Amino acid sequence: MTIRENISLKKFNTFGIDASARYYAEVSSLEEIKETLSDSKLGMPRKMILGGGSNLLFTKDFDGLIIKNNLKGIEVVNEDDEHFYVRSAAGEVWHEFVMHCIENNYAGIENLSLIPGNVGASPMQNIGAYGVEIKDSFHELQAFHINDKALHVFTNNDCKFGYRESVFKRDLKDQFIITSVTFKLRKTPVLNTSYGAIEKELDAMGVTSPTIHSVSKAVCNIRSSKLPDPKVIGNAGSFFKNPVISAKKHNELKAKFPEMVSYTAAFSPDGKSGEEYKLAAGWLIEQCGWKGKTLGDAGVHKLQALVLVNYGNAKGSEIYDLSTKILESVKKKFGVDLEREVNIV
Ligand code: FAD
Ligand code: EPU
């Protein structure tokens, strides 16, 4: 393990922002984490953990220590009649972990295929797609406390998961290094094909008896057709969360904008039937005229208004400023507050 100084972060974030880090270290074991944290020449710099860099926006250079988590290994740690308990080290690539589970017939995370990033970041915002979130099959995680230098175990309840939320994104932000995550995966699959275009895609694929393999393939096909590939255009997926509003506010807006896209309790974060509605932020942003717009190299994707993109050499601050303009116009037109999903650094 070596601590490097003043390195470019361009290849370490999917937005492709050319910020730099004062110190940078890659760690592959618990020992290396401890060694890095106790390096006396660092003094007391600010610390940040980096996974695949697919949910971050660097708006300036990072004047501290970035620890890139490269811990590897996947193992079945337990089983009962209905489940395998599968533990993955934090540095495994999420999609490769999903593929490993599918190959071994461990069911439950197939709808989460092709989400970029590493396993260690998956609890940070309780990653979700196509009607499934990791909280549905999360068992526990281990995390190293940066100050007390001990490993802690967090159960599902401890993580306080919500829609794109967890305790690690809020109260415990930047305090823990997640080192492994254990999932409770089914021996007999319970498929979830009701969301969005999955059934239509399975039909188009000629699938009559879906399996976790074909559902995963369908999700990959849909995602590839909708979302820009960060290897081609820099982005971090949805830049904003889909806002959740009261039924009263929803009904007022729906009367004014009958085509407004919204979802009832089934897709609301806490399942509060009838009390809250989730709106499609992509629709709100498109209605404000932002879809396909650019400000310099910062832009709003032409097929998905919820995704902000870097067409080349945009600065993080330029993408951030564009996001502020979008927030302001959505607030002005609809009276709805959007919240950034991407972690701003
Ligand atoms: P990073 O971006 O490296 O880090 C994200 C945050 O987690 C940072 O605050 C970082 O400090 C912290 N962190 C990372 N690893 C650790 C660790 N081991 N311990 C403690 N803190 C840590 N997300 C979804 O939920 N659903 C989607 O469908 C989805 N689609 C996407 C599509 C595209 C094209 C892209 C680019 C992104 C998408 N995302 C989606 C967002 C992103 O893939 C997820 O948030 C992912 O979990 C981020 O993982 P990462 O390893 O890249 O995290
Ligand atoms: N829409 C528009 N215009 C747009 C984009 C979307 O009108 O430019 C409307 C469409 O009517 C569409 C609806 O919005 O039917 C929803 O769009 P989509 O199905 O593409 O999903 P999303 O709400 O944009 C969410 C997640 C994604 C996740 C998909 C599938 C959030 C913030 N985003 O996107 O997660 O992959 O659903 O489940 O919840 C991410 O978090 O980074 C991410 C990509």
Side-chain angles (χ1 to χ4, degrees), residues 7-19:
I7 74 146
S8 166
L9 294 167
K10 191 173 168 77
K11 66 175 196 276
F12 298 120
N13 71 97
T14 61
F15 256 125
I17 302 297
D18 195 9

Side-chain angles (χ1 to χ4, degrees), residues 49 51-55 69 116-118 121 124-125 127-128 176 178 223 237:
I49 318 306
S54 64
N55 206 19
N69 190 320
N118 291 355
M124 290 298 298
Q125 67 161 13
I127 56 168
F176 282 91
I178 296 170
R223 292 182 67 94

Side-chain angles (χ1 to χ4, degrees), residues 160 166-175:
K160 298 187 184 159
S166 78
V167 71
F168 300 103
K169 210 173 165 179
R170 298 272 162 198
D171 303 357
L172 301 182
K173 191 169 164 49
D174 290 335
Q175 292 183 37

Side-chain angles (χ1 to χ4, degrees), residues 12-15 47-58 67-69 90-94 111-130 132-133 142-144 146 163-164 168-169 172-181 223 227-230 233-238 307 341-345:
F12 298 120
N13 71 97
T14 61
F15 256 125
K47 296 174 188 75
M48 192 192 118
I49 318 306
L50 181 67
S54 64
N55 206 19
L56 291 172
L57 179 68
F58 289 109
I67 302 175
K68 170 110 167 75
N69 190 320
E92 292 287 345
V93 171
W94 172 260
N111 292 42
L112 303 177
S113 299
L114 218 57
I115 296 182
N118 291 355
V119 170
S122 64
M124 290 298 298
Q125 67 161 13
N126 174 31
I127 56 168
Y130 297 93
V132 172
E133 294 179 329
Q142 290 189 319
F144 187 79
I146 290 179
Y163 165 58
R164 299 293 189 271
F168 300 103
K169 210 173 165 179
L172 301 182
K173 191 169 164 49
D174 290 335
Q175 292 183 37
F176 282 91
I177 304 177
I178 296 170
T179 55
S180 73
V181 188
R223 292 182 67 94
L227 288 162
D229 179 353
I233 309 175
N235 76 89
S238 301
V307 178
E341 175 193 303
V342 168
N343 297 279
I344 309 297
V345 188

Side-chain angles (χ1 to χ4, degrees), residues 125 128-131 163-164 195 223 226-227 236-238 240-242 261 263 278 280 282-283 286 291 303-306 341:
Q125 67 161 13
Y130 297 93
Y163 165 58
R164 299 293 189 271
Y195 189 97
R223 292 182 67 94
K226 278 191 160 193
L227 288 162
S238 301
F240 304 97
K241 293 183 187 182
N242 285 324
V261 184
Y263 313 93
K278 196 188 260 187
W283 186 87
E286 182 174 351
K291 197 169 183 171
L303 300 177
Q304 228 304 0
L306 197 43
E341 175 193 303

Side-chain angles (χ1 to χ4, degrees), residues 22-322:
R22 176 81 180 87
Y23 298 106
Y24 174 89
E26 297 195 356
V27 293
S28 307
S29 64
L30 204 54
E31 289 64 42
E32 287 191 349
I33 292 177
K34 290 178 187 163
E35 211 184 307
T36 307
L37 292 175
S38 60
D39 192 304
S40 56
K41 80 171 186 301
L42 292 178
M44 295 283 285
R46 209 178 134 208
K47 296 174 188 75
M48 192 192 118
I49 318 306
L50 181 67
S54 64
N55 206 19
L56 291 172
L57 179 68
F58 289 109
T59 53
K60 48 185 174 308
D61 292 338
F62 188 80
D63 188 25
L65 168 66
I66 291 199
I67 302 175
K68 170 110 167 75
N69 190 320
N70 279 347
L71 275 70
K72 299 284 184 194
I74 299 174
E75 58 179 329
V76 175
V77 289
N78 204 350
E79 68 178 289
D80 57 30
D81 287 350
E82 291 172 26
H83 303 101
F84 290 109
Y85 293 77
V86 188
R87 180 160 67 206
S88 170
E92 292 287 345
V93 171
W94 172 260
H95 179 66
E96 289 171 12
F97 173 64
V98 175
M99 290 298 111
H100 173 90
C101 292
I102 290 172
E103 275 156 29
N104 288 282
N105 286 314
Y106 311 146
I109 51 174
E110 52 282 355
N111 292 42
L112 303 177
S113 299
L114 218 57
I115 296 182
N118 291 355
V119 170
S122 64
M124 290 298 298
Q125 67 161 13
N126 174 31
I127 56 168
Y130 297 93
V132 172
E133 294 179 329
I134 67 150
K135 75 167 169 39
D136 306 328
S137 47
F138 175 96
H139 178 59
E140 64 180 30
L141 64 75
Q142 290 189 319
F144 187 79
H145 194 276
I146 290 179
N147 286 338
D148 79 15
K149 309 227 173 356
L151 262 187
H152 296 240
V153 174
F154 288 78
T155 63
N156 200 315
N157 274 345
D158 295 336
C159 292
K160 298 187 184 159
F161 290 128
Y163 165 58
R164 299 293 189 271
E165 279 298 341
S166 78
V167 71
F168 300 103
K169 210 173 165 179
R170 298 272 162 198
D171 303 357
L172 301 182
K173 191 169 164 49
D174 290 335
Q175 292 183 37
F176 282 91
I177 304 177
I178 296 170
T179 55
S180 73
V181 188
T182 306
F183 293 89
K184 185 179 173 180
L185 299 169
R186 288 190 203 91
K187 294 183 173 176
T188 307
V190 178
L191 298 179
N192 182 339
T193 59
S194 57
Y195 189 97
I198 298 186
E199 273 170 9
K200 206 167 140 215
E201 180 60 28
L202 287 167
D203 275 351
M205 288 161 58
V207 174
T208 46
S209 307
T211 60
I212 55 173
H213 299 74
S214 53
V215 169
S216 164
K217 182 78 182 104
V219 167
C220 291
N221 291 348
I222 301 166
R223 292 182 67 94
S224 310
S225 71
K226 278 191 160 193
L227 288 162
D229 179 353
K231 289 197 192 85
V232 183
I233 309 175
N235 76 89
S238 301
F239 197 88
F240 304 97
K241 293 183 187 182
N242 285 324
V244 177
I245 60 168
S246 68
K248 183 170 174 283
K249 172 81 180 160
H250 171 263
N251 297 342
E252 284 164 18
L253 282 173
K254 198 76 184 167
K256 216 168 151 194
F257 305 99
E259 325 76 49
M260 185 179 73
V261 184
S262 62
Y263 313 93
T264 48
F267 299 108
S268 102
D270 307 313
K272 290 181 191 159
S273 179
E275 290 173 27
E276 289 184 325
Y277 284 78
K278 196 188 260 187
L279 306 182
W283 186 87
L284 300 172
I285 296 167
E286 182 174 351
Q287 297 306 305
C288 292
W290 284 106
K291 197 169 183 171
K293 283 268 165 69
T294 52
L295 287 180
D297 270 357
V300 180
H301 194 253
K302 57 181 186 304
L303 300 177
Q304 228 304 0
L306 197 43
V307 178
L308 301 195
V309 291
N310 175 7
Y311 281 112
N313 293 313
K315 288 188 188 138
S317 57
E318 290 169 334
I319 290 175
Y320 185 83
D321 290 347
L322 172 60

